[in-house]
Amino acid sequence: MERPDPSGDNLYRLLMGPAAVTPDKPAVVEADADGVLHEMSYRRLEGLAQEYAAVLDGLGLDVGDRVVIEADTSAAAVALLLACSLLGLPFVTVSPQTPDTRLLSIVRSVEPALHARAEGLARRERVEAQGSARFGPGGLVVERPPARRVRRRRSVLATDTAYIVFTSGSTGRPKGVVMSHRAIVTFLRAMLQDALAGSGDRVASTSPLQFDFALFGIGVALSSGATLVPVRREDLSSPRRMIGFLRDAGVTQVHGVPSLWRPVLRHDADLLKELERLRSVVFAGEEFPVPELRRLQEMLPGARIVNGYGATESMAASFTDVPRPLPAGQERLSIGHAHAGAEMTLVDERGGVVTRPGLTGEIYLRSPALFTGYWNDPEATAAVLVDDPVDPRHGHKVLRTGDLARLGPEGELSFVGRCDFQVQIHGNRVELGEIEGTLTRLPGVTAAAAALVPRAGDHVLMAAVVLDGPTAELDAGAALAFCARELPAYMVPRSVRAVAELPLTENGKVDRALLTQKLASPRGTSDVRHATNA
Ligand code: ADP
């Protein structure tokens, strides 16, 4: 049977639009193993995607068959996900750092037809997908072909799955988020409407490819006709390397989680002045500790800083400029209004829509760019794709985010925390973010994280803070006294420790499970000071 072609919105078509208009413009600028920069034009990227598509087509797969792509972000990885999109083969991105056990559980779950790994990555003996292949600038080489399918489909529809991204677990147990071509294309068109990036931008992407923040960077850069600049992991390993790379690659927009900036702010903030071409920083994934954000603004006086809020289930929900300067005393950041074409509504505990400014509720997202469902998990899907609280009679589903926000006077929202970061302490409801916000108001503290730690059959609150320089010391007694003045007694942590770095997940978010473990151990790791108020 003929190869199925897209009929309707398709990620390939959107991202390769510029290939017809500006074929010679660099689509991707990346460093090779020696750190030398290379450009790949839109024309060449399209050519590579077409070459890959021809090889994939030769395997006789059907629309909907999954392809696991194991790679860092690179021109070749982008070409492969474009080729998959063209043929209606949902891609599932994983990183070279993904542990075998996790990759194995993903492979068992999605049963991919093919596991394609970037050239240079070792085979994973334990991880057996039906077919295996490797790919690079020279082509896609099939090592073991999957069994040929009977093609049941004639065309790739907008409702077909573009990709499946597994969440990392900061929002509960990892789930495979299924996104359709229509959802991702609708989302990226909204980014074009809001002009997040322009064709003159060089967009640095710093997240691992398994995190949809990387797909966001690829999508925003290519749909705008801009240039994508993947930053290699080794170039993120030190502030000097990172800043040197961003400078040499002429980057104008950087995408990354807040923790991306922590080492440079802490060790060598002056380096940031070298980023003369930088016009915007987009952060997402978690809250940006306010003291670090102020410092970043100070060191990058010419750059907009944009707070991207949202979840994999809709790629993102809102993009809000951080006010410059940030008003004194501000602890919580605005997540503003939803992006073009979407709307966020707050819902209180009784299911009513919050309309009074100052009140808090759970964010429900109404958007034509919502995910299709969790892979093979109708129950989990039904728990978050729910009736519209404004008027359920339409039968239309909205996303229940699990995030709390406060309503502002103009209908804008301020992020408060995840519903599951609310903990109960002896009958009192405690918002961990409030404790963290209080700690970051202490002079010298730039970031903080609190956790409920098991202790002698009970649970106690403990906190870790990051200080503004490697040699700074924490007066833990004074910190606890400050908390005691600012917070109700049941919210005062039992202890506070200074740590060199908050533990991070593979995606660079605070790893709350690991933090809890570290705080539970009497010595923790890398403590410089430790005091208790018990
Ligand atoms: P996981 O972390 O499990 O891999 P996601 O990356 O989809 O899954 O996490 C989405 C969650 O991250 C949101 O529901 C929210 O709690 C948090 N988040 C994302 N962006 C922001 C932001 N700008 N400010 C605060 N929290 C954010």
Side-chain angles (χ1 to χ4, degrees), residues 102 165-175 177 210-213 258 283-288 306-318 333-335 363 399 401-404 415-421 505 507 509-510:
R102 173 131 161 95
V165 161
F166 279 78
T167 58
S168 69
S170 88
T171 51
R173 100 189 132 76
K175 299 169 289 279
V177 175
Q210 69 191 1
F211 185 9
D212 74 333
F213 202 179
F283 73 86
E286 66 182 355
E287 288 181 277
F288 208 127
V306 181
N307 181 1
Y309 156 77
T312 314
E313 287 82 345
S314 65
M315 186 154 261
S318 74
L333 295 176
S334 173
I335 53 167
I363 305 170
L399 174 68
T401 64
D403 289 325
L404 296 171
F415 187 80
V416 168
R418 283 200 62 74
C419 298
D420 43 10
F421 292 174
T505 66
N507 289 353
K509 301 190 188 195
V510 174

Side-chain angles (χ1 to χ4, degrees), residues 213-278:
F213 202 179
L215 301 181
F216 169 80
I218 294 167
V220 164
L222 300 187
S223 64
S224 314
T227 302
L228 173 74
V229 185
V231 187
R232 298 178 312 163
R233 244 169 315 114
E234 50 266 53
D235 288 326
L236 296 173
S237 64
S238 84
R240 190 164 294 279
R241 280 187 80 153
M242 175 171 109
I243 302 300
F245 175 79
L246 297 175
R247 181 198 57 215
D248 295 348
V251 162
T252 61
Q253 182 170 97
V254 178
H255 295 179
V257 287
S259 67
L260 175 72
W261 301 99
R262 188 163 299 140
V264 64
L265 288 173
R266 207 169 130 80
H267 297 284
D268 221 344
D270 277 343
L271 283 175
L272 290 162
K273 292 188 183 143
E274 295 178 17
L275 301 180
E276 285 173 2
R277 294 184 60 187
L278 189 64

Side-chain angles (χ1 to χ4, degrees), residues 322-335:
V322 176
R324 185 184 274 279
L326 260 168
Q330 179 154 353
E331 272 176 35
R332 285 307 168 74
L333 295 176
S334 173
I335 53 167

Side-chain angles (χ1 to χ4, degrees), residues 300-517:
L300 297 174
R304 284 168 75 190
I305 300 186
V306 181
N307 181 1
Y309 156 77
T312 314
E313 287 82 345
S314 65
M315 186 154 261
S318 74
F319 293 86
T320 313
D321 271 75
V322 176
R324 185 184 274 279
L326 260 168
Q330 179 154 353
E331 272 176 35
R332 285 307 168 74
L333 295 176
S334 173
I335 53 167
H337 299 272
H339 62 68
E343 216 181 313
M344 298 189 283
T345 302
L346 289 190
V347 176
D348 65 22
E349 280 167 344
R350 281 169 286 111
V353 173
V354 175
T355 52
R356 191 136 47 90
L359 295 186
T360 297
E362 183 175 350
I363 305 170
Y364 282 55
L365 178 68
R366 182 177 296 100
S367 167
L370 293 184
F371 77 132
T372 313
Y374 295 120
W375 173 258
N376 198 22
D377 199 342
E379 248 172 64
T381 305
V384 300
L385 281 181
V386 298
D387 287 337
D388 187 341
V390 174
D391 188 346
R393 291 173 300 178
H394 295 280
H396 152 242
K397 300 291 181 198
V398 299
L399 174 68
R400 182 172 183 180
T401 64
D403 289 325
L404 296 171
R406 190 169 301 126
L407 190 64
E410 306 297 329
E412 79 283 7
L413 305 184
S414 298
F415 187 80
V416 168
R418 283 200 62 74
C419 298
D420 43 10
F421 292 174
Q422 282 190 328
V423 297
Q424 292 286 333
I425 299 186
H426 306 143
N428 298 298
R429 191 161 73 186
V430 173
E431 183 56 61
L432 292 176
E434 211 175 322
I435 302 170
E436 293 162 0
T438 303
L439 285 165
T440 54
R441 279 194 282 125
L442 275 164
V445 170
T446 56
L452 194 61
V453 178
R455 177 62 58 90
D458 196 5
H459 282 85
V460 296
L461 279 169
M462 292 183 153
V465 296
V466 178
L467 302 174
D468 59 3
T471 55
E473 291 213 4
L474 172 73
D475 183 343
L480 293 173
F482 179 73
C483 290
R485 281 200 302 279
E486 300 289 315
L487 295 167
Y490 60 84
M491 284 178 72
V492 177
R494 178 73 63 87
S495 74
V496 55
R497 296 174 184 185
V499 293
E501 173 58 292
L502 297 171
L504 300 175
T505 66
E506 278 178 13
N507 289 353
K509 301 190 188 195
V510 174
D511 188 332
R512 288 179 180 270
L514 193 55
L515 176 77
T516 308
Q517 263 179 37

